[in-house]
Amino acid sequence: MTQLTEKTVAVVKGLIMDGVAKANSGHPGGAMSSADYATILFSEFLNFNPDDSKWFNRDRFILSAGHESMLQYSLLHLSGFLSMDDLKAFRQLSSLTPGHPEVHLTPGVEATTGPLGQGFAMSVGFAAAEAYLREKLGSDVMDHYTYVLASDGDIQEPIALGAASLAGLWKLGKIVAFYDSNKIQLAGPCCKVDCTNHKEIFEGLCWHVIEVDGHNHDEIRAAIKAGQLETEKPTLIIGHTTMAKGAATLEGSHKTHGEPMKADEIAATKKKLGLPAEDFHVPADVVDAFRARFDGLRETAAAWQNGVDAKLADAAFAEMWGHVTRPRPELDIAWPEFTPGESMATRKAWGTCLDAVMDSLPTLVGGSADLDPSNQTMNFRNTYGDFGVDGYGARNLAVGVREFPMAAIMNGMQLHGGLLPFGATFLTFSDYCRNAIRMSALQELPVLYVFTHDSFWVGEDGPTHQPIEHVSSLRLIPDLIDLRPADANETKACLDLALKHETKPSAIFLTRQGLPILDPAEYPAVTDGPAKGGYVLKDCEGTPDLILIASGSEVSLALETAKLFKRKVRVVSMPSAKLFDEQPDSYKNAVLPPDVTARAAAEAGRTDYWYKYVGLGGVVLGIDHFGASAPGKVLSDKYGFTPENFARMIREKY
């Protein structure tokens, strides 16, 4: 067994070197230093279905050190999920083996990783989802480990420590993380940038910490078993390793971190490892030994499915299982009614919607980054308790002032499957979340981001809390649905869109200040119009002389401005520019007729974005400077967000 394991590790290292060399691009050094641990994990411990990479109760393995992707691809080849041709196409166009793991491309890959630290944080989301579903479905249905392989760079990213603090607080004992501490990074030795005692740090974060020789197979096995047995704390295995372990002359060299090895170094290394000179060598005995567990794994998966089928006879279980497995477009959501004419902040409308649907959506989990009253999630928190602290059946994620970890954890929960995650904070703090939001879009994850306090109307808190560029900036992220509703009715329509979408994340931008609730009897399109992003809210007879376009709080401003003209005016509400742009030209031209060039737009944010709709010579009422500390109404007057000023700007142009 020991000799065959050593041989398997050597074969994996050979595949790593060959794949990177053939692509002439990649990171062989870290992958080789992690090879002992990962090979043992995959061949001896990882519970999965060899015939179904998406089996629901599989152990999850997250390669947070995404630059070590050739290691994972080599193990997925031995697992039967990737072909040899796939390995040879490493980093090539349209291959299943891209430069960093991508979840929607490669079977067996659980998360798209590359931006360091986020894989580690996502693993906390995976484990949190497992714990919640285990509580709701039973440990005979949901009971798996979340394994993560992290590098020095992962642990240096502050997001990792933020997420680790929550994992410790929540007692996520089914996380087993391996920290490949090879003490080398791209620019040189880690001692040049870090003096951290990671054992003491993680123990202080309520983790179970084990230190091992990361190349000693017996120590690795013992550490994984100890991590599995520790149920009250997540486990960090610090594996002290050597960069490019086994290389002929480059062991410990930072040059192997991000550069292919030369042909003579590869040849000498293969000889040292006892491998033949041929490229991509995988002997039959290694494959057979690696797959020796597969019949047992298949039996485990089949028994699990039989158990689930039997439990479906229980009505309560069947109902919850339906919530866990139901496709999002099939969600049946009963949204609340709102009273036309009343004034309500759209953040309050969100809170009202959340309160109305939370009982009927038991897989809806989430919370606020220490802003529960402001984000209108306090009732949700009081009703269902704080996850981990109040038990694993609690649904509120109390993440504290940790916006970036919150966003990445939501990604992990969505990747795990079975839940509808959301997270809330002030819009100005979306900058802290931004790279995780980008990863939501990149991974095709329909996570809901709730951003309140969406403009200078925040008022007295001043420019640090008043978003200016944020909505326009977030619209630049491909495949992120922007939702800035005009009132309570548009808010529930936007939330319905977000929760029922299958592949795209949504960011909803909500006001602090009250807005008039539009009457569906007077504005019937307010109910269904948001689904197309932009729609005619109020029209005129015949072809309009002037089109006013607005989003969010400026829609009511546009309606009031329209009353100041004797000309024929059309008012277009555009809660989602992204969704509007996706509509066919016939629809867009019907809403914004090309022949009607007299156009004006209003949004309490950057003006740049709106010229695509009004033309370079059009009128845009916006704000391209930082705000000030003063009541919102005072700032509204100062910055010209009044019907009179908007009308003046339009008259001066048209």
Side-chain angles (χ1 to χ4, degrees):
M1 177 67 176
T2 300
Q3 288 183 337
L4 198 52
T5 302
E6 293 282 0
K7 183 177 181 180
T8 303
V9 171
V11 167
V12 168
K13 290 180 179 179
L15 292 175
I16 291 167
M17 291 187 291
D18 289 340
V20 172
K22 189 174 188 303
N24 195 29
S25 175
H27 302 72
M32 293 173 71
S33 69
S34 301
D36 296 279
Y37 167 78
T39 301
I40 289 172
L41 177 68
F42 268 72
S43 61
E44 299 179 28
F45 291 93
L46 200 67
N47 187 29
F48 64 99
N49 184 348
D51 302 320
D52 180 9
S53 66
K54 296 298 184 182
W55 177 50
F56 197 44
N57 196 37
R58 67 192 180 277
D59 287 339
R60 271 46 169 200
F61 171 77
I62 295 92
L63 182 67
S64 192
H67 53 280
E68 296 185 11
S69 57
M70 196 60 205
L71 167 62
Q72 185 171 17
Y73 298 149
S74 299
L75 295 169
L76 290 175
H77 169 68
L78 292 176
S79 301
F81 292 121
L82 291 176
S83 70
M84 183 58 74
D85 286 340
D86 291 326
L87 297 190
K88 293 178 179 179
F90 179 54
R91 292 193 165 216
Q92 304 309 299
L93 183 65
S94 302
S95 77
L96 296 181
T97 49
H100 292 80
E102 295 181 33
V103 65
H104 58 288
L105 287 181
T106 311
V109 167
E110 301 287 359
T112 298
T113 53
L116 291 173
Q118 287 201 55
F120 190 98
M122 284 189 282
S123 73
V124 177
F126 277 93
E130 187 275 339
Y132 179 79
L133 292 174
R134 177 167 19 106
E135 183 73 16
K136 295 297 182 180
L137 298 172
S139 58
D140 53 340
V141 173
M142 181 53 54
D143 184 27
H144 68 76
Y145 291 98
T146 298
Y147 297 100
V148 58
L149 195 165
S151 64
D152 290 291
D154 284 294
I155 303 301
Q156 286 173 20
E157 284 286 359
I159 184 178
L161 295 183
S165 179
L166 291 169
L169 174 69
W170 294 342
K171 299 181 179 180
L172 296 177
K174 305 207 78 169
I175 294 178
V176 179
F178 184 81
Y179 166 27
D180 179 41
S181 179
N182 60 42
K183 303 172 184 63
I184 293 291
Q185 52 201 93
L186 191 146
C190 294
C191 63
K192 298 284 188 179
V193 297
D194 199 359
C195 66
T196 307
N197 185 324
H198 291 101
K199 184 176 189 296
E200 290 185 358
I201 291 293
F202 273 81
E203 287 178 339
L205 296 174
C206 307
W207 281 59
H208 171 221
V209 182
I210 306 169
E211 291 192 88
V212 301
D213 175 348
H215 304 302
N216 184 307
H217 295 180
D218 289 337
E219 289 187 21
I220 290 171
R221 292 185 183 100
I224 294 174
K225 290 176 183 176
Q228 291 176 334
L229 292 172
E230 173 56 68
T231 59
E232 289 294 307
K233 294 180 179 181
T235 294
L236 180 72
I237 302 170
I238 301 177
H240 295 286
T241 62
T242 301
M243 175 67 83
K245 177 66 173 178
T249 67
L250 292 177
E251 272 195 3
S253 172
H254 72 275
K255 292 181 179 180
T256 66
H257 176 91
E259 298 178 16
M261 294 181 180
K262 304 299 184 185
D264 56 348
E265 179 71 17
I266 293 175
T269 300
K270 286 183 177 180
K271 183 176 181 180
K272 178 180 176 181
L273 294 173
L275 297 173
E278 69 180 82
D279 292 341
F280 297 97
H281 171 71
V282 180
D285 60 340
V286 165
V287 174
D288 291 342
F290 194 93
R291 300 180 183 180
R293 297 188 306 137
F294 279 19
D295 286 344
L297 293 175
R298 291 185 177 100
E299 290 174 3
T300 297
W304 176 88
Q305 186 60 59
N306 290 335
V308 171
D309 292 343
K311 290 189 72 170
L312 287 172
D314 178 78
F317 175 83
E319 181 181 3
M320 187 63 192
W321 185 249
H323 285 291
V324 169
T325 59
R326 183 174 295 117
R328 279 176 171 253
E330 296 178 14
L331 289 174
D332 184 14
I333 307 175
W335 298 105
E337 296 298 322
F338 295 99
T339 304
E342 290 187 355
S343 178
M344 177 181 284
T346 51
R347 66 162 176 159
K348 175 63 176 175
W350 141 253
T352 302
C353 287
L354 178 62
D355 292 348
V357 305
M358 59 187 183
D359 288 341
S360 61
L361 295 176
T363 56
L364 184 68
V365 296
S368 298
D370 199 45
L371 290 169
D372 302 83
S374 297
N375 292 158
Q376 299 292 304
T377 58
M378 182 62 80
N379 191 46
F380 181 80
R381 177 177 186 170
N382 291 338
T383 302
Y384 293 110
D386 290 331
F387 174 80
V389 176
D390 296 322
Y392 293 128
R395 290 165 58 185
N396 183 76
L397 301 179
V399 300
V401 189
R402 298 184 181 93
E403 296 90 350
F404 193 8
M406 175 185 74
I409 287 170
M410 290 194 299
N411 285 342
M413 298 183 90
Q414 186 66 59
L415 284 163
H416 180 280
L419 299 180
L420 304 170
F422 73 88
T425 186
F426 287 177
L427 177 55
T428 192
F429 302 138
S430 64
D431 285 340
Y432 289 135
C433 308
R434 186 180 180 89
N435 201 261
I437 298 173
R438 183 176 188 270
M439 295 303 292
S440 300
L442 190 64
Q443 296 180 91
E444 302 178 356
L445 304 178
V447 171
L448 172 61
Y449 293 94
V450 179
F451 295 124
T452 68
H453 296 59
D454 74 343
S455 73
F456 65 79
W457 276 93
V458 170
E460 291 87 344
D461 276 344
T464 60
H465 283 51
Q466 294 170 9
I468 302 300
E469 75 280 14
H470 297 74
V471 173
S472 288
S473 176
L474 288 167
R475 286 183 180 129
L476 297 177
I477 298 177
D479 299 324
L480 173 68
I481 301 174
D482 58 316
L483 299 166
R484 190 166 185 255
D487 79 327
N489 285 311
E490 275 200 1
T491 299
K492 68 180 181 182
C494 288
L495 289 170
D496 195 72
L497 284 167
L499 289 179
K500 291 182 179 178
H501 208 289
E502 290 187 286
T503 60
K504 293 181 180 179
S506 299
I508 189 166
F509 311 114
L510 304 170
T511 66
R512 177 179 184 265
Q513 77 276 19
L515 299 176
I517 297 176
L518 301 174
D519 187 350
E522 183 178 359
Y523 305 107
V526 74
T527 302
D528 298 324
K532 293 186 177 180
Y535 65 98
V536 179
L537 177 66
K538 181 178 176 57
D539 212 355
C540 56
E541 293 291 334
T543 303
D545 300 318
L546 172 67
I547 298 177
L548 304 183
I549 313 166
S551 80
S553 52
E554 284 61 64
V555 171
S556 55
L557 170 63
L559 289 171
E560 291 301 310
T561 302
K563 297 176 182 178
L564 301 180
F565 290 95
K566 294 181 179 180
R567 288 182 278 175
K568 294 185 292 183
V569 181
R570 170 179 291 182
V571 177
V572 172
S573 176
M574 196 173 290
S576 176
K578 193 72 65 71
L579 290 178
F580 181 73
D581 289 347
E582 292 177 355
Q583 301 307 312
D585 289 342
S586 58
Y587 177 79
K588 290 186 286 188
N589 290 338
V591 174
L592 301 176
D595 292 341
V596 182
T597 57
R599 303 179 184 183
E603 183 173 66
R606 292 281 304 191
T607 59
D608 316 55
Y609 192 87
W610 291 94
Y611 288 105
K612 67 188 292 186
Y613 302 115
V614 302
L616 294 178
V619 173
V620 179
L621 173 61
I623 178 170
D624 294 319
H625 55 79
F626 293 122
S629 181
K633 181 62 172 67
V634 172
L635 296 178
S636 177
D637 292 340
K638 177 178 176 58
Y639 300 148
F641 281 79
T642 65
E644 294 76 18
N645 182 62
F646 194 24
R648 178 193 61 77
M649 293 172 63
I650 295 167
R651 289 192 180 102
E652 288 180 356
K653 177 64 180 180
Y654 304 114

